Amino acid sequence: MTALTASFADRTVLRVGYGALQLERLHDRRDEAVQLLRHAIELGVDHVDTAEFYGFGFANDVIRETLRPEDGVLVVTKVGADPNPGGRLPLRLAQRPEQLRASVEDNLRSLGVDRLPVVNLRRLDTGPGLRPEGDQVVGLDDQLAVMTALRDEGKIGAIGLSSVTLDGLRRALPAGIACVQNAYSLVSRDDEDMLQLCAAEGIAWVPFFPLGGAFPGLPKVTEEPVVHAVAGSLGVAPSQVGLAWLLHHAPNVLLIPGTADAAHLEANLAAGKITFDAETLATLDAIESRSNEVPIG
């Protein structure tokens, strides 16, 4: 049986939280979005991941409307990109120090708070997604300088990193890092060394794409025959097997699966209670890991 909670930014939180990106699917049904998030909190979720560029601010607006101080929810946001309504992509890179500071201010305003408990600096060094060009190629040290200044000013509580390399994480450790968000799943385990470093340093590992690729060409956990066989034997969904494997794999893993559907939300949370025997875990561990280095743009 895996532990149901873990340490994150001097807090203890449920290991399965909620990623707010999918709330934008309910953009025209705001009441449903509020009800869904409220349902998550009622089910025990105390860690919500968001960003100003999720739904052009819609996710943050729903969080602001839904959460109450007595809920005790740890809201984690990110900077490094900003909304880009009408653009070819729904976001634009915002990697320069002054842009990071402005993005923090945007999140403070839209969430209606005077301090962001954790802010992830979304780098673009690794994993699927965009790569920086021109004035968006910014050194990590320059970014960490503004992030630590914002922490010293009390505007953010803790610093996280996203889409970062192992060398980048090592360089950032003296600044104090609370979490790492990289693409990582049962079928894409390129960052195993980084995960183990985080475990040794007491840093939460919060993978995005926890079931593999959301983009064409990336491997998917739910397409693995072994995963389907395990799911069938346990009477659960293949997606639940993929999430449960992550929780079994390392004690510092926290999950933030997103959904706009209440039944799917409940299934994601139930994955935290799935147990594997040693033989089943070894069978899952033997699944081949493939690269998730697919540029998007």
Side-chain angles (χ1 to χ4, degrees), residues 61-261:
D61 286 345
V62 170
I63 290 169
R64 178 177 184 170
E65 179 177 339
T66 307
L67 297 190
R68 308 159 186 158
E70 60 268 26
D71 293 328
V73 175
L74 180 68
V75 176
V76 179
T77 189
K78 62 185 64 66
V79 294
D82 287 335
N84 185 31
R88 187 172 62 87
L89 292 174
L91 54 79
R92 59 177 175 81
L93 302 186
Q95 294 278 302
R96 298 197 308 273
E98 69 274 16
Q99 293 174 315
L100 298 179
R101 177 174 283 276
S103 296
V104 164
E105 296 290 352
D106 287 343
N107 279 281
L108 287 167
R109 184 165 48 252
S110 61
L111 288 168
V113 297
D114 55 17
R115 180 177 177 270
L116 302 169
V118 183
V119 178
N120 285 307
L121 166 58
R122 180 70 183 269
R123 292 279 296 178
L124 303 145
D125 300 325
T126 185
L130 299 168
R131 293 291 182 264
E133 299 177 346
D135 67 356
Q136 291 299 309
V137 179
V138 182
L140 177 59
D141 291 344
D142 292 337
Q143 293 178 320
L144 287 173
V146 71
M147 296 297 287
T148 53
L150 287 161
R151 187 178 59 193
D152 292 344
E153 294 165 21
K155 293 188 175 182
I156 67 177
I159 300 167
L161 294 173
S162 179
S163 295
V164 67
T165 63
L166 179 59
D167 178 64
L169 174 60
R170 285 174 172 152
R171 285 171 49 207
L173 287 177
I177 301 300
C179 65
V180 170
Q181 284 191 2
N182 274 25
Y184 181 89
S185 70
L186 173 58
V187 294
S188 294
R189 306 188 297 274
D190 288 351
D191 286 336
E192 192 63 33
D193 289 347
M194 197 171 349
L195 167 56
Q196 298 306 322
L197 175 60
C198 286
E201 295 287 340
I203 297 170
W205 182 261
V206 191
F208 65 88
F209 295 167
L211 296 176
F215 298 134
L218 297 181
K220 294 178 174 58
V221 171
T222 54
E223 294 177 354
E224 291 294 320
V226 170
V227 171
H228 279 265
V230 170
S233 69
L234 295 176
V236 300
S239 59
Q240 290 177 300
V241 171
L243 295 177
W245 177 85
L246 286 162
L247 297 173
H248 281 74
H249 188 60
N252 61 320
V253 171
L254 298 173
L255 301 181
I256 47 170
T259 180
D261 178 79

Side-chain angles (χ1 to χ4, degrees), residues 4-9 11-21 23 36-37 40-51 54 63 67 71-78 117-120 160 178-181 203-208 247 252-259 265 268-269:
L4 297 179
T5 61
S7 176
F8 182 18
R11 291 271 302 274
T12 297
V13 297
L14 195 70
R15 292 183 69 196
V16 184
Y18 179 74
L21 174 63
L23 285 176
L36 181 71
L37 184 56
I41 305 311
E42 291 166 351
L43 292 172
V45 167
D46 54 6
H47 166 206
V48 172
D49 183 85
T50 188
Y54 287 177
I63 290 169
L67 297 190
D71 293 328
V73 175
L74 180 68
V75 176
V76 179
T77 189
K78 62 185 64 66
V118 183
V119 178
N120 285 307
C179 65
V180 170
Q181 284 191 2
I203 297 170
W205 182 261
V206 191
F208 65 88
L247 297 173
N252 61 320
V253 171
L254 298 173
L255 301 181
I256 47 170
T259 180
L265 169 69
N268 289 338
L269 293 174

